[in-house]
Amino acid sequence: MANVERPLSPHLQIYRWPVTMATSILHRATGCGLAAGTLLLTWWLVAAAAGPDYYAMVQACLGSILGRLVLLGFTWALFYHLLNGIRHLFWDAGHGYSLPVANKSGWAVIGGSVVLTVLAWILAYAWK
């Protein structure tokens, strides 16, 4: 039996993701990230209640470059999940189902989450 050359399915590297698919996957991923971030927040609160030495250690961890990157990601995930949740509320009400509106609202959620994250960090550093 000879090997027959069969066409391959499109791979993820070739297939162009629609923004609606990307926002759906990101919504699920940010939900998981927020669950992990809530554990981080709980660790920080327990440290605050445990005393100044333990709190200083946690603050040093969260204040490191890696800690700040994690907090930046947590902030972005929070704003992304919030804005995409509002988008889903509009869908639940029956608005925004057409493809052009869904694409525009998807890009608005992505852009809005980046803008809100940058604004939150600018304000946090200005307030400091």
Side-chain angles (χ1 to χ4, degrees), residues 29-120:
T30 56
C32 294
L34 289 175
T38 302
L39 293 174
L40 188 66
L41 178 64
T42 304
W43 181 47
W44 181 73
L45 289 172
V46 168
D53 293 335
Y54 191 59
Y55 182 74
M57 188 267 300
V58 172
Q59 281 292 95
C61 288
L62 294 178
S64 69
I65 292 173
L66 181 61
R68 287 180 192 227
L69 282 174
V70 169
L71 290 174
L72 179 68
F74 180 72
T75 307
W76 176 79
L78 183 66
F79 283 126
Y80 177 84
H81 207 77
L82 170 72
L83 293 178
N84 207 41
I86 292 170
R87 180 177 174 227
H88 275 267
L89 285 175
F90 277 96
W91 285 356
D92 290 343
H95 304 291
Y97 279 122
S98 69
L99 192 55
V101 174
N103 286 336
K104 287 178 186 175
S105 65
W107 284 112
V109 164
I110 293 169
S113 64
V114 170
V115 167
L116 287 174
T117 300
V118 169
L119 284 175

